[in-house]
Amino acid sequence: MPIQIQSIALIILVVLILLLIVSNIVIVQQSKAYVVERLGAFRTVWGVGLHFKLPFFERIAKRVSLKEQVADFAPQPVITKDNVTMQIDTVIYFQITDSKLYTYGVERPMNAIENLTATTLRNIIGDMELDQSLTSRDIINTRMRAILDEATDPWGIKVNRVELKNILPPKEIQNAMEKQMKAERERREAILQAEGQKQSQILVAEGDKQSAILRADAAKQAAILHAEGEAEAIMKVQQATADALRMLNESSPNDQVIKLRALETMVKVADGKATKIIIPSEIQGLAGLAASAKALLEGEESTK
């Protein structure tokens, strides 16, 4: 009986030892880090892999995530340089770079970051007026990231990004801004309409101008062509007259031919509307000669 009790006790002891050994085997996952203490003092930081912890002497003080984390803080009241109170909430993207500093650097790190963010935001907005703070998000984000990153470096935290999520001015300021925006839109609309009417009138005037220029140019070209036609006709008439005189001179005309040409000219003159015609004496003699010849011819015909 005592031997059986001893055997059972030995088995129980072996099982307890095995359980103790198994319970002190630690597997650290990816993107994790374990801070280990021995007898209350920092010993080491375990990375990814299999580790064994001394029972009763060592303990895991903190399990740290090395992933990038996001902290969304509640809206904080801030006062601008022109004494306007606004509500601004921020979003911070940070990552733990030193597990030891994160564990022992500050108590309640997230609370410390939130308070640091609020005070930093108040300091930055306090140097800006309302309009500037509403249009300078990138500047505010950059300044806050630089200040927070420097302040959290002793805590083993790196601030990667800071974003202003919402900027909420007082209700009356929002109403005034909406009215201002509406007035600005109406002003731009009026300017665009005036510019459109101006351009339309300019185009119409330009069209009238071009049309008048084209009409004047067409009339000018017509007058030039008409004048050139008349000049060319006169030149042809003069050329024909000159050619006739030249041919007449070349044929050595006698006085009778010259008188006959003069008579033809007088016929053309008489064909007009003139009431008085002066006939040269040479032509009068020629006319008498023509009358005598006519009478002689008539007398011969009657005797026959």
Side-chain angles (χ1 to χ4, degrees), residues 53-99:
K53 177 171 64 70
L54 292 179
F56 310 112
F57 294 97
E58 294 180 346
R59 74 180 187 95
I60 298 174
K62 198 173 190 64
R63 292 173 172 82
V64 180
S65 174
L66 301 179
K67 297 179 182 179
E68 186 174 13
Q69 303 179 50
V70 181
D72 188 358
F73 299 133
Q76 299 291 330
V78 294
I79 301 176
T80 61
K81 188 176 181 179
D82 48 355
N83 296 322
V84 177
T85 302
M86 299 186 300
Q87 298 285 333
I88 301 179
D89 56 341
T90 55
V91 179
I92 295 180
Y93 298 83
F94 67 94
Q95 190 172 11
I96 299 172
T97 56
D98 192 319
S99 302

Side-chain angles (χ1 to χ4, degrees), residues 13-28:
L13 180 61
V14 170
V15 171
L16 291 175
I17 292 174
L18 290 176
L19 291 176
L20 183 62
I21 294 174
V22 171
S23 63
N24 285 275
I25 296 175
V26 180
I27 299 176
V28 180

